Amino acid sequence: MNANIDWSKIDTVLLDMDGTLLDLHFDWHFWMEYLPQAYAEKNALTLEEANRIIHAKIKDQQGTLNWYCLDYWSESLQLPIAELKRELKHLIQAHPDVMEFLAKLQQMGKNVIMVTNAHRDSLAIKLEMTEIGDYFNHLISAHDFGIPKEDIRIWSEIQSIQPYDPKHTLLIDDNLHALETAKAYGIQYLLCAIHVSPKMDKIDPKEFDHFENFKEIIPL
């Protein structure tokens, strides 16, 4: 662990959702395994052929908002993506100690804002299956602005909805590109969540301060 947070200097906490607050296994399993199977069945392909097509399409859109957009994938693949996601919703779960962490931030009176690249339909399913939504002052999807967190403009766009002082703001995310654009924008405190799922490799945080379990960073 390499995270020493001075909570007295932080007024606003920007939190990512998938991989950061929630176990990323749900999304990985859906996109890498469940969706190719559905695509293979619909198009009378072998699973190997479907995997090759789906994975190539996903790689092609990486870093763009389309990569996260359920409408885009529904149209591109001619499959009801949100409906298929609901079939797996029982796999959605928060990381250990997330609820205690969020409750503590609320108790301290911090301005807690979710900033996720997730599509609103995907966000709705996650909020339905967990209680994390109760602890946020505001829930923001990058799709509201038409740009992902990998685009530095999003951090100023958020100001139009929920003003915050970058010098007194903490962003917690597992997306290094998002952390990099936030740093360039001037957000003072940045923390990489490296433990995205027990079933997946840990993130290499590069130069960013980082943590594995929320228990490590719950304010005292």
Side-chain angles (χ1 to χ4, degrees):
M1 197 271 284
N2 182 24
N4 186 19
I5 305 166
D6 185 349
W7 288 101
S8 68
K9 295 181 179 178
I10 295 168
D11 299 325
T12 297
V13 182
L14 304 176
L15 284 167
D16 172 54
M17 181 174 65
D18 298 318
T20 300
L21 297 176
L22 304 185
D23 189 328
L24 197 60
H25 177 67
F26 165 81
D27 296 280
W28 186 91
H29 176 64
F30 177 80
W31 292 103
M32 295 293 106
E33 297 177 343
Y34 199 70
L35 183 59
Q37 182 69 52
Y39 190 77
E41 291 172 3
K42 181 179 187 295
N43 295 283
L45 301 171
T46 66
L47 185 56
E48 184 181 0
E49 290 171 326
N51 268 316
R52 188 170 63 249
I53 293 168
I54 296 291
H55 295 173
K57 286 178 178 289
I58 288 173
K59 186 177 180 182
D60 188 52
Q61 296 300 324
Q62 201 160 4
T64 73
L65 202 59
N66 282 343
W67 200 73
Y68 305 93
C69 183
L70 303 196
D71 294 334
Y72 170 82
W73 291 112
S74 293
E75 184 176 339
S76 176
L77 303 176
Q78 291 298 293
L79 285 169
I81 301 300
E83 188 178 312
L84 289 172
K85 276 201 160 195
R86 285 193 170 277
E87 293 175 5
L88 288 182
K89 67 181 184 179
H90 60 281
L91 296 178
I92 296 170
Q93 59 180 347
H95 284 307
D97 303 301
V98 160
M99 304 310 296
E100 185 182 347
F101 175 74
L102 292 174
K104 186 66 175 181
L105 294 184
Q106 187 181 63
Q107 180 187 332
M108 294 172 74
K110 303 299 184 186
N111 182 29
V112 186
I113 305 171
M114 180 187 289
V115 185
T116 176
N117 277 338
H119 187 274
R120 281 281 175 186
D121 288 347
S122 184
L123 175 58
I125 298 170
K126 307 288 177 64
L127 295 179
E128 176 189 325
M129 297 304 294
T130 69
E131 297 177 357
I132 60 172
D134 298 341
Y135 294 93
F136 286 87
N137 298 92
H138 213 94
L139 302 167
I140 293 175
S141 165
H143 296 261
D144 301 343
F145 308 117
I147 48 177
K149 287 185 288 184
E150 288 86 342
D151 188 322
I152 193 172
R153 293 175 297 166
I154 196 169
W155 306 111
S156 56
E157 289 285 352
I158 292 169
Q159 297 276 14
S160 65
I161 292 179
Q162 190 76 16
Y164 65 95
D165 181 352
K167 296 298 182 189
H168 296 282
T169 295
L170 165 68
L171 168 65
I172 302 179
D173 208 313
D174 67 316
N175 182 332
L176 292 180
H177 291 149
L179 291 166
E180 286 163 0
T181 60
K183 181 179 181 180
Y185 178 70
I187 291 176
Q188 186 71 33
Y189 303 97
L190 303 161
L191 199 51
C192 181
I194 64 172
H195 183 64
V196 296
S197 173
K199 299 176 185 292
M200 300 172 69
D201 292 338
K202 291 182 175 65
I203 301 288
D204 178 355
K206 307 297 185 185
E207 79 273 16
F208 293 105
D209 287 344
H210 56 279
F211 71 102
E212 288 191 34
N213 190 292
F214 276 89
K215 185 176 290 186
E216 301 167 25
I217 62 169
I218 293 174
L220 298 176

